[in-house]
């Protein structure tokens, strides 16, 4: 049988999702725990990879096993066995060809910023004290929906077959001294969200205009875009599959 597992993690102590040589990853810790409790050897395939320090509120992975198990009991056992910064929510039985990476039709991220020092947000939000024009940043964010080629926001020297992504939403939300950037798309390039946020921050600071954002996208040059904001403010918040209802 093939199963999907839904989980979350605080990425502060991990070198991203994917197994890394000489560095601890979420994939490594979760796989080891599951192999011990299942008493089975399998590979855990994630919906994507997050960079070091990035968090996930909702992430999926799949695995194959012939072991029969009680889903509720296994969730309880795993959450007791895993470190506090990884939480398992659900298991789903899926078809043998279902794939957490290739079957995802949409992914959503949030980037969190706080504009007044907050000791409790230091690993979960980026502290940026300079005044930002959020209205201008939202105007610039709307421009993203007009384009498909986002090579300018991609990490250089990455092995991808296309730089095209369909962005379905991109906007800033302000809650007192906290700013949250919301973005959803069918797929994302490496470092894409952090580069977009850095570019929109430059709009908010008045360093570039909203029309400059168009020129940056059309240039297809990473050097024209803004800086990459720190990883710890970034959260993967949702992965959508046509055969899974998160409300269930």
């Amino acid at each position: 049988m093939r199963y999907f597992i839904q989980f979350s993690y605080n990425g502060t102590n991990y070198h991203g999702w994917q197994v890394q040589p000489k560095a601890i990853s979420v994939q490594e810790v979760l796989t080891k725990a599951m192999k011990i409790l299942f008493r089975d050897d399998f590979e855990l395939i994630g919906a994507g990879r997050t960079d070091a320090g990035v968090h996930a509120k909702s992430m999926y992975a799949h695995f194959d096993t012939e072991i029969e198990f009680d889903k509720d009991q296994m969730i309880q056992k795993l959450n007791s066995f895993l470190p506090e910064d990884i939480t398992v929510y659900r298991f789903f039985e899926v078809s043998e060809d279902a794939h957490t990476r290739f079957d995802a039709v949409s992914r959503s991220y949030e980037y969190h910023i706080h504009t007044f020092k907050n000791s409790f947000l230091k690993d979960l939000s980026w502290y940026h004290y300079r005044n930002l024009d959020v209205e201008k940043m939202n105007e610039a964010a709307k421009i993203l929906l007009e384009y498909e080629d986002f090579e300018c926001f991609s990490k250089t020297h990455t092995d991808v077959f296309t730089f095209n992504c369909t962005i379905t939403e991109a906007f800033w939300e302000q809650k007192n001294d906290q700013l949250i950037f919301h973005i959803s798309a069918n797929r994302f390039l490496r470092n894409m969200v952090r580069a977009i946020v850095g570019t929109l921050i430059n709009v908010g600071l008045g360093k570039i205009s909203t029309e400059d954002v168009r020129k940056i996208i059309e240039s297809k040059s990473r050097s024209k875009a803004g800086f990459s904001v720190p990883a710890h403010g970034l959260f993967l918040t949702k992965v959508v599959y046509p055969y899974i209802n998160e409300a269930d």
Side-chain angles (χ1 to χ4, degrees):
M1 288 294 299
R2 175 159 292 184
Y3 294 89
F4 276 24
I5 178 174
Q6 183 189 17
F7 56 98
S8 66
Y9 55 85
N10 179 321
T12 302
N13 297 320
Y14 301 98
H15 200 75
W17 157 255
Q18 195 166 4
V19 170
Q20 303 284 331
K22 299 180 181 179
I24 191 169
S25 70
V26 178
Q27 184 182 30
E28 176 187 355
V29 173
L30 183 56
T31 301
K32 283 183 177 179
M34 290 180 64
K35 284 183 177 181
I36 291 171
L37 293 178
F38 276 85
R39 297 180 181 177
D40 194 13
D41 190 24
F42 49 73
E43 186 178 9
L44 201 58
I45 308 296
R49 57 184 177 186
T50 54
D51 291 335
V54 175
H55 317 288
K57 292 182 179 180
S58 180
M59 175 67 152
Y60 290 87
H62 73 256
F63 65 99
D64 298 325
T65 183
E66 296 180 0
I67 304 297
E68 293 185 2
F69 64 99
D70 182 290
K71 298 183 185 67
D72 291 336
Q73 286 185 6
M74 184 56 71
I75 289 169
Q76 187 176 20
K77 288 179 180 179
L78 268 172
N79 284 329
S80 298
F81 195 80
L82 287 163
E84 293 183 346
D85 48 17
I86 301 176
T87 301
V88 171
Y89 298 110
R90 294 192 292 177
F91 287 97
F92 303 88
E93 289 184 30
V94 293
S95 63
E96 62 180 15
D97 60 347
H99 200 289
T100 48
R101 179 183 174 190
F102 299 132
D103 291 356
V105 295
S106 176
R107 295 171 171 85
S108 299
Y109 283 89
E110 291 176 359
Y111 193 84
H112 290 243
I113 293 173
H114 55 289
T115 57
F116 189 84
K117 185 177 179 180
N118 188 325
S119 303
F120 300 101
L121 294 176
K122 68 181 185 69
D123 294 323
L124 302 172
S125 177
W126 179 40
Y127 175 38
H128 186 279
Y129 61 88
R130 296 179 66 183
N131 290 330
L132 295 169
D133 188 331
V134 180
E135 185 176 346
K136 289 288 186 185
M137 289 160 63
N138 265 324
E139 288 178 17
K142 290 178 182 177
I143 293 172
L144 298 169
L145 278 64
E146 301 174 18
Y147 291 86
E148 288 189 343
D149 188 326
F150 295 104
E151 184 174 358
C152 68
F153 298 127
S154 173
K155 190 172 184 177
T156 56
H157 309 300
T158 56
D159 184 20
V160 293
F161 64 91
T162 177
F163 293 100
N164 286 2
C165 308
T166 301
I167 296 177
T168 54
E169 69 170 4
F171 66 93
W172 289 90
E173 176 187 15
Q174 186 162 18
K175 296 180 178 180
N176 299 320
D177 57 355
Q178 295 184 50
L179 290 172
I180 305 172
F181 178 61
H182 301 265
I183 187 167
S184 298
N186 65 327
R187 63 189 291 265
F188 287 91
L189 306 168
R190 287 200 66 187
N191 206 56
M192 178 175 167
V193 179
R194 292 165 63 191
I196 286 175
V197 173
T199 303
L200 296 179
I201 290 291
N202 283 341
V203 173
L205 291 171
K207 292 183 176 181
I208 61 174
S209 68
T210 52
E211 284 305 306
D212 286 333
V213 174
R214 294 186 190 276
K215 296 175 184 176
I216 290 168
I217 295 172
E218 292 171 5
S219 76
K220 300 184 181 182
S221 172
R222 179 65 187 90
S223 63
K224 303 284 187 185
F227 63 103
S228 179
V229 291
H232 66 271
L234 184 61
F235 292 77
L236 172 65
T237 58
K238 192 174 185 180
V239 185
V240 177
Y241 297 94
Y243 42 74
I244 289 179
N245 184 357
E246 284 205 347
D248 288 343

